[in-house]
Amino acid sequence: MSGEPISEVQNLEHHECWAMLRNVSVGRLAVLVAGRPDIFPINYTVDGGTLVFRTSEGTKLSGASEDAAVAVEADGVDPDTGLAWSVVVKGTAAVVTGTEQVLDTTQLFLFPWQAGKKDVFVRITPDTVTGRRFRVTEPMTWWTQLSGAIRTAQE
């Protein structure tokens, strides 16, 4: 990245997207379950041009197995520069099977953040990886605290 100020959204190069994905370990996994979208926080690791995460039986696994179409979004912001970034990976997810593949995956030192048995590894193979970088505006222009606002029953 050059030293020029960023005033608009800047598309990230492919290698920049992967560098950003390696800098964080948390993202959001979007899946379809029974024809409805659902989204889950995951912690992941990058492994040879793929993303790998651990889970257990449940909705997340049912939506992210058998070559299911999925998307993962990860983002971050540099507080010193005010530059934010967002990367989206779209591809297919499949449960890691086979003794050799499972053993290779366990060597990634990927540990779930949430307690409990999470012994299923899922690998996401990307079809597309896209990203953008932009300057975050001052909080006074976008942050609105409505502490006295009337809340609806769903809140």
Side-chain angles (χ1 to χ4, degrees):
M1 188 175 92
S2 69
E4 297 175 21
I6 295 176
S7 59
E8 296 182 17
V9 173
Q10 178 184 62
N11 291 326
L12 297 174
E13 298 291 331
H14 189 75
H15 70 279
E16 291 177 298
C17 291
W18 282 105
M20 296 296 142
L21 289 169
R22 284 184 180 88
N23 283 334
V24 297
S25 61
V26 177
R28 284 153 298 285
L29 171 72
V31 298
L32 283 176
V33 179
R36 304 282 302 177
D38 212 341
I39 193 160
F40 301 92
I42 59 169
N43 66 298
Y44 67 87
T45 191
V46 173
D47 180 39
T50 66
L51 301 180
V52 178
F53 69 94
R54 290 176 68 166
T55 191
S56 59
E57 293 296 324
T59 307
K60 185 186 329 176
L61 180 59
S62 67
S65 56
E66 300 180 19
D67 293 326
V70 299
V72 173
E73 189 269 342
D75 52 32
V77 64
D78 183 335
D80 296 329
T81 65
L83 293 178
W85 60 270
S86 178
V87 172
V88 175
V89 175
K90 295 178 185 176
T92 55
V95 173
V96 175
T97 58
T99 305
E100 188 174 318
Q101 289 83 7
V102 170
L103 288 174
D104 286 346
T105 306
T106 58
Q107 294 178 15
L108 294 174
F109 300 106
L110 177 61
F111 302 101
W113 281 16
Q114 185 181 22
K117 186 177 179 183
K118 307 231 185 252
D119 56 355
V120 179
F121 289 86
V122 177
R123 182 177 303 277
I124 299 169
T125 303
D127 296 323
T128 63
V129 179
T130 58
R132 13 186 256 158
R133 180 183 291 123
F134 53 93
R135 181 162 308 284
V136 176
T137 60
E138 292 297 320
M140 292 300 291
T141 62
W142 56 267
W143 176 257
T144 305
Q145 187 174 4
L146 298 174
S147 59
I150 298 171
R151 300 195 190 314
T152 64
Q154 286 85 13
E155 294 178 305

